[in-house]
Amino acid sequence: MSFTIAIIGRPNVGKSTLFNRLVGQKLALVDDMPGVTRDRREGEARLHDLSFTIIDTAGLDEGPKGSLTARMQEQTETAIALADALFFVIDARIGLTPADRAFADFARRADKPVLLLANKSEGKHGELGAMESYALGLGDPIQISAEHGEGMGELYDAVSKLVPPTEDEDDEREETDEERAARPIRVAIVGRPNAGKSTLINHLLGEERLLTSPEAGTTRDSIAVEIEHKGRSFRVFDTAGLRRRSRIEEKLEKLSVADALRAVRFAEVVVLMMDSQNRFEEQDLRIADLIEREGRALVIAVNKWDLMDAQPGQISALRRDADHWLPQVAGVPIVAVSGLMGEGIDRLMQAIVEAYAVWNRRVPTAALNRWFEGAIANNPPPAVSGRRLKLNYITQTKARPPSFVLFCSRADAIPQSYLRYLTNSMRETFELPGTPVRITLREKANPFAHKRKRPN
């Protein structure tokens, strides 16, 4: 019997949009008006290589017995009874509402695994709303955007722990460190057309598994292959070349590009391939920025190195160019390779493993506090309009990528330049080269705000 997940939450938080994305087609009606969904709707969902039954439900709401609202609620309760697990969805842009808190208790009483999904998390306001959802007591929120497809990689990681494997195994047994290390690292190979992505993967496989051609655009679908390299497993996705949007005219290429972007979102490490003779062009920088915004670990592979004239200092020049053009991922690993000749392959695979480890890194709280105090002492935050900005403390909320919440006063007044200073200092202190580092500002609640001022 298929594993079943029910999507629940108050009206208009994006449940049907998420349902449509998981089933891969627009089966459920979607509108800005709350309450469009009334009956529960089932579909066969696919999240990367996971398959399960998904149930879209009406928004949880209360109504008189026998009313339409009450019958919609009964349909939702039936869906919860049929489900093996629940997706509890909130609107991160709005933040927590009293209805969210009430229905969180409803979800807990179901006595089933619950994944808390903070939908509409794109942008600054979404980040803050997602942080508020910790108050529901349903565990770490998974920040997603069902409309734009963001956060699907994190959702995949969480669902993969719930959906039982195809083989008969003990589902209750927790994954050991050895099993986690043996799990394939998901790697997407991306770049401009004709950068040599398929040639590189063929060399890793030792066979002509993927079509290659001097003509750009040979690869259309995102093809996944399993690779073993020095005892470590990798699941590598070859993708279509990414050109500037203005140059994409054919519908088929648009679909191919969408598939490539989907592979980036499901990946853990993304290898950006550049042509050694045309490196760090505008489109390369755009792709690198997309990878950083998606929160994936990044490795740069400069391909066709065998065509370069051997000169001293070329690798050092690559390092300087990378730090100059991509300051948002300072220290990103960069490797010179030749997919055709097999040069630099071992260094590239080692860089992928190391980037994956950095992407998963958690900083010890004591060390984080010591760094934070020193960073503020060495460079205090600037005063704004004559008022001092107070930074209270910082904590790491999650890894993959390393993400932190900084509690402070007047979050909107802290300059971006000071956040860049903290980010770069953190990279250097805790050895976080190349991986995206997220710092979200959150104002600390004023304990005296509720008290009235005394009359004069």
Side-chain angles (χ1 to χ4, degrees), residues 136-379:
L136 294 177
L138 294 175
D140 294 343
I142 302 171
Q143 299 181 42
I144 67 169
S145 171
E147 183 175 1
H148 301 291
E150 297 178 8
M152 292 297 109
E154 287 76 8
L155 182 60
Y156 169 88
D157 291 335
V159 174
S160 64
K161 298 175 183 177
L162 299 177
V163 176
T166 53
E167 300 174 0
D168 292 331
E169 297 180 1
D170 184 5
D171 298 341
E172 301 299 323
R173 181 174 59 84
E174 293 187 0
E175 186 179 45
T176 65
D177 292 338
E178 291 77 10
E179 290 172 331
R180 193 176 297 111
R183 189 170 56 195
I185 300 175
R186 300 194 301 276
V187 182
I189 311 291
V190 303
R192 289 183 288 119
N194 214 26
K197 301 180 289 295
S198 300
T199 303
L200 173 69
I201 297 176
N202 282 340
H203 195 279
L204 287 170
L205 288 169
E207 61 176 306
E208 292 295 318
R209 168 65 175 80
L210 304 171
L211 290 175
T212 60
S213 170
E215 179 186 353
T218 302
T219 301
R220 287 177 171 174
D221 297 310
S222 294
I223 306 298
V225 295
E226 302 289 341
I227 292 175
E228 291 283 336
H229 187 80
K230 293 190 174 181
R232 191 69 191 254
S233 299
F234 302 85
R235 185 171 176 81
V236 182
F237 293 83
D238 183 29
T239 65
L242 299 173
R243 298 197 297 167
R244 290 205 303 266
R245 184 178 298 177
S246 60
R247 293 189 177 183
I248 299 174
E249 297 178 356
E250 297 182 2
K251 180 179 180 181
L252 182 58
E253 186 176 359
K254 292 180 180 180
L255 296 174
S256 298
V257 169
D259 207 25
L261 297 178
R262 192 177 304 113
V264 170
R265 295 184 180 112
F266 279 112
E268 295 165 321
V269 180
V270 180
V271 176
L272 171 57
M273 290 201 70
M274 301 182 187
D275 191 313
S276 61
Q277 297 175 312
N278 299 284
R279 56 185 184 266
F280 294 108
E281 294 195 348
E282 181 182 359
Q283 184 65 359
D284 295 323
L285 304 182
R286 289 178 182 272
I287 297 171
D289 188 60
L290 167 69
I291 296 167
E292 191 276 336
R293 284 187 281 111
E294 286 292 336
R296 307 299 117 187
L298 173 63
V299 174
I300 295 177
V302 181
N303 195 26
K304 307 180 184 179
W305 197 250
D306 55 306
L307 302 179
M308 297 290 292
D309 295 330
Q311 296 179 2
Q314 286 181 316
I315 301 299
S316 298
L318 281 181
R319 174 77 274 152
R320 290 193 300 271
D321 288 345
D323 289 340
H324 171 74
W325 292 109
L326 298 171
Q328 69 271 37
V329 283
V332 59
I334 184 165
V335 184
V337 300
S338 171
L340 184 64
M341 307 301 293
E343 298 174 1
I345 300 298
D346 288 344
R347 293 193 301 272
L348 176 62
M349 302 309 290
Q350 182 60 32
I352 291 173
V353 172
E354 292 174 357
Y356 177 73
V358 172
W359 189 63
N360 282 276
R361 184 167 298 165
R362 279 193 171 273
V363 179
T365 303
L368 187 63
N369 289 330
R370 287 195 298 269
W371 162 80
F372 187 57
E373 292 173 1
I376 295 176
N378 293 333
N379 184 12

Side-chain angles (χ1 to χ4, degrees), residues 2-3 5 22-23 44-53 87 115 152-166 186 235 266:
S2 175
F3 192 88
I5 299 177
L22 292 175
V23 300
E44 291 304 314
R46 190 164 185 85
L47 189 60
H48 204 34
D49 56 355
L50 299 177
S51 298
F52 51 93
T53 300
F87 285 167
L115 297 182
M152 292 297 109
E154 287 76 8
L155 182 60
Y156 169 88
D157 291 335
V159 174
S160 64
K161 298 175 183 177
L162 299 177
V163 176
T166 53
R186 300 194 301 276
R235 185 171 176 81
F266 279 112

Side-chain angles (χ1 to χ4, degrees), residues 121-136:
S121 286
E122 65 273 18
K124 176 181 176 182
H125 297 295
E127 287 276 353
L128 295 176
M131 294 303 107
E132 288 184 11
S133 63
Y134 279 98
L136 294 177

